C-alpha cells in the first residue's frame, strides 16, 4: 500500500473505531451484550464461527458496512481466529454479491453497453485485466460492497475476482 492510500484508510478507520469504542464504553447495555456474546463465542466456537460467517456474508450482500464485522471478529474470536474468520466471511460474502450481480444484472448491462464502444471497451479491458482491476479498485478506497456488484456486472472472471479480493482482504486485515 502506498503511503497516501494508507493515510486515507487510517483517516477513515480511526474515527470509526474510536466511535465504536466510545459506544461500547459509554453504553452499558451494548457493552453487556457484547461481553455476553464474547463469552458465548468463546465457549461455543463450533456454533459461533459458522453463524458469524453467515451473518457477515449476508451483511455484505445487503451492502452493510463490513468493518463492523471485522472489528467484531477480533473482539469475539481473538486476533488470529478472528482475522481468519473475517477473511473467510468477507470472501464468501463478496463472491455471493458478485454472483447476485452476475445472475440478475449482467445480461441487462451487456445489452446496454454493446451499443457504446467506450463502455464495451471498458468491459473488455476489465475482462482481460480483472485481477488488477479489483485489487486497484479496492486499494483506491472505493466501497467494497459496490465493487462486488460492479465486478459482477462486467465480464470479469470469477477467478480474478476471488484472487484480487483475497489479496486486498489480506492487506486490510494486517493490524
Amino acid at each position: 500500500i502506498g503511503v497516501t492510500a494508507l493515510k486515507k484508510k487510517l483517516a477513515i478507520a480511526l474515527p470509526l473505531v474510536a466511535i465504536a469504542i466510545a459506544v461500547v464504553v459509554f453504553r452499558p447495555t451494548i457493552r453487556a451484550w457484547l461481553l455476553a456474546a464474547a463469552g458465548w463465542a468463546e465457549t461455543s466456537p463450533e456454533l459461533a464461527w459458522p453463524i458469524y460467517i453467515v451473518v457477515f456474508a449476508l451483511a455484505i450482500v445487503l451492502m452493510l458496512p463490513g468493518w463492523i464485522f471485522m472489528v467484531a471478529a477480533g473482539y469475539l474470536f481473538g486476533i488470529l481466529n478472528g482475522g481468519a474468520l473475517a477473511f473467510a466471511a468477507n470472501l464468501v460474502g463478496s463472491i455471493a454479491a458478485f454472483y447476485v450481480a452476475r445472475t440478475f444484472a449482467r445480461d441487462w448491462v451487456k445489452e446496454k453497453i454493446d451499443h457504446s464502444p467506450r463502455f464495451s471497451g471498458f468491459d473488455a479491458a476489465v475482462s482481460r485485466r480483472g485481477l488488477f482491476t479489483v485489487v486497484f479498485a479496492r486499494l483506491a478506497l472505493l466501497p467494497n460492497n459496490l465493487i462486488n456488484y460492479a465486478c459482477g456486472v462486467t465480464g470479469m472472471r470469477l477467478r480474478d475476482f476471488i484472487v484480487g479480493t483475497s489479496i486486498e482482504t489480506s492487506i486490510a486485515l494486517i493490524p
Side-chain angles (χ1 to χ4, degrees), residues 148-166:
N148 298 332
Y149 285 98
C151 290
V153 298
T154 68
M156 182 182 293
R157 290 184 302 249
L158 178 61
R159 177 193 68 210
D160 291 344
F161 179 77
I162 291 171
V163 172
T165 299
S166 297

Side-chain angles (χ1 to χ4, degrees), residues 3-75:
V3 173
T4 304
L6 183 59
K7 284 182 182 178
K8 286 180 183 177
K9 278 192 172 190
L10 288 174
I12 293 169
L14 289 178
L16 295 175
V17 170
I19 290 169
I21 290 170
V23 166
V24 170
V25 170
F26 296 112
R27 298 290 301 213
T29 54
I30 294 173
R31 186 168 186 256
W33 182 83
L34 286 174
L35 290 171
W40 177 77
E42 189 176 334
T43 60
S44 304
E46 66 282 350
L47 293 173
W49 291 14
I51 289 171
Y52 169 82
I53 290 172
V54 168
V55 170
F56 186 3
L58 183 60
I60 289 172
V61 172
L62 296 174
M63 296 188 76
L64 298 174
W67 70 269
I68 295 168
F69 294 92
M70 289 190 176
V71 171
Y75 180 77

Side-chain angles (χ1 to χ4, degrees), residues 115-133:
H115 304 296
S116 168
R118 180 181 302 166
F119 288 119
S120 43
F122 173 78
D123 188 54
V126 168
S127 298
R128 284 190 312 274
R129 312 258 313 153
L131 173 62
F132 295 106
T133 302

